[in-house]
Structure formats: C-alpha cells, structure tokens
Amino acid sequence: MNTLKAFYVDDMPTVYAAATIEDAARLYDHDLGEPCEDGYPREVSEAELDKPVPDYDDNEQPTGEMTSMRVWLETATPGFLCGAE
C-alpha cells in the first residue's frame, strides 16, 4: 500500500507526492534549487484528490479518459506528481 500524500508546492499549481509536508518541501528544493513559496507546501484535500481530471498517456498526450490525482497517487513515487513542470 502506498502511503504517499499529495502536496501543492507552488501556485502554478504543481503537485508533489511525498510522505510528509517536510519531504515535499525537500523534494521541491532539490528539483528546482529553491525553497517553496510562502504558504507552500500544503496538502491536497480529499475532494481535490477525487476531482476528475483528464488522463494522459506515457507521451503526455490526452487519452480522452478521465482519472483523478488519487489514482495517480496510488502508483506514484516520491517527487513530481502532476501540474506545471
């Protein structure tokens, strides 16, 4: 079972998968070389996790299907989950 949570790390919004809010901040800092903006990271709400969003294939092309952040989170590894890269 995956124990990662989803965190907004900026106002783009970019979402990272991490075990804790501190881990999300560390991962963002490692990837971008700068700390999160004030007020970030913040945990994605249960409702936001379940909101339908377009699904994409491995080539980042829309599939025409819908999914959710919760589905992506189930197979995620720590780091970037979705949003602006």
Side-chain angles (χ1 to χ4, degrees), residues 4-82:
L4 297 176
K5 299 176 183 177
F7 297 93
Y8 289 112
V9 292
D10 61 26
D11 61 358
M12 298 298 282
T14 306
V15 180
Y16 270 49
T20 66
I21 198 166
E22 294 83 8
D23 289 343
R26 264 192 300 280
L27 289 163
Y28 182 85
D29 188 15
H30 177 267
D31 288 352
L32 275 73
E34 59 186 55
C36 294
E37 300 170 9
D38 286 343
Y40 295 94
R42 66 177 176 82
E43 191 168 351
V44 174
S45 73
E46 292 293 316
E48 292 167 317
L49 284 175
D50 293 323
K51 181 181 175 184
V53 295
D55 199 10
Y56 294 86
D57 65 19
D58 292 340
N59 296 317
E60 298 183 15
Q61 297 301 311
T63 64
E65 303 290 324
M66 298 299 280
T67 189
S68 69
M69 274 196 274
R70 186 180 304 280
V71 170
W72 290 334
L73 194 57
E74 289 172 0
T75 59
T77 57
F80 178 81
L81 183 64
C82 62

